[in-house]
Amino acid sequence: MADEELEAIRRQRMAELQAKHGDSSGDQQGQQEAKQREAEMRNSILAQVLDQSARARLSNLALVKPDKAKAVENYLIQMARFGQLGGKISESGLIEILEKVSQQTEKKTTVKFNRRRVMDSDEEDDD
């Protein structure tokens, strides 16, 4: 009888461990499925909003500058949700939107020179 009880405890413990590990992988799988659904929704909205040449330009931009492409996609999706778009956007329309986003996210670079003044020869030449 001790062997049967021990075997039952082992089975119960294995079931608990499998359930515990199954839940964490199921949670990860659920998150992955949610991300996939979101990506599909984004693609379907963009397919409705952009014509073929504009989608090609946006996908090329995504290869080079993914953060900028994501910002443009978010902008287009927001405009589509609020009904601000009056039909499909052509490539020229997308270029205008890209220019607007570029102006908004443009970073100004400045260069500042700090010159060291260790031995200033001008002060010694006053003699």
Side-chain angles (χ1 to χ4, degrees):
M1 285 219 197
D3 289 336
E4 291 174 4
E5 290 176 11
L6 187 59
E7 188 65 32
I9 293 172
R10 283 184 185 158
R11 277 188 251 139
Q12 183 181 6
R13 182 72 178 140
M14 283 296 289
E16 289 174 1
L17 287 174
Q18 287 176 350
K20 185 176 180 181
H21 290 295
D23 288 350
S24 65
S25 66
D27 191 32
Q28 290 174 351
Q29 188 177 12
Q31 290 175 351
Q32 188 177 17
E33 288 176 2
K35 287 180 183 179
Q36 187 177 10
R37 278 190 303 244
E38 181 183 347
E40 289 174 3
M41 282 179 43
R42 291 175 68 88
N43 287 335
S44 67
I45 291 172
L46 290 173
Q48 293 172 0
V49 170
L50 299 173
D51 68 356
Q52 193 65 28
S53 60
R55 281 196 49 86
R57 181 174 286 270
L58 188 60
S59 64
N60 288 339
L61 179 69
L63 293 174
V64 179
K65 296 184 178 183
D67 54 339
K68 191 172 193 176
K70 197 74 159 177
V72 171
E73 287 176 0
N74 289 338
Y75 180 71
L76 289 170
I77 289 171
Q78 183 180 10
M79 287 178 66
R81 285 187 179 158
F82 292 124
Q84 296 175 344
L85 298 176
K88 287 197 171 198
I89 296 176
S90 64
E91 187 173 4
S92 60
L94 181 65
I95 291 171
E96 291 175 10
I97 292 172
L98 286 170
E99 288 173 354
K100 286 180 187 176
V101 171
S102 293
Q103 289 174 355
Q104 290 174 356
T105 60
E106 186 175 307
K107 295 180 181 177
K108 302 279 184 183
T109 57
T110 58
V111 177
K112 184 177 179 182
F113 289 102
N114 287 330
R115 299 182 187 243
R116 295 183 185 181
R117 299 177 191 222
V118 177
M119 297 178 67
D120 197 4
S121 62
D122 292 341
E123 291 177 8
E124 297 173 6
D125 291 340
D126 288 343
D127 292 337

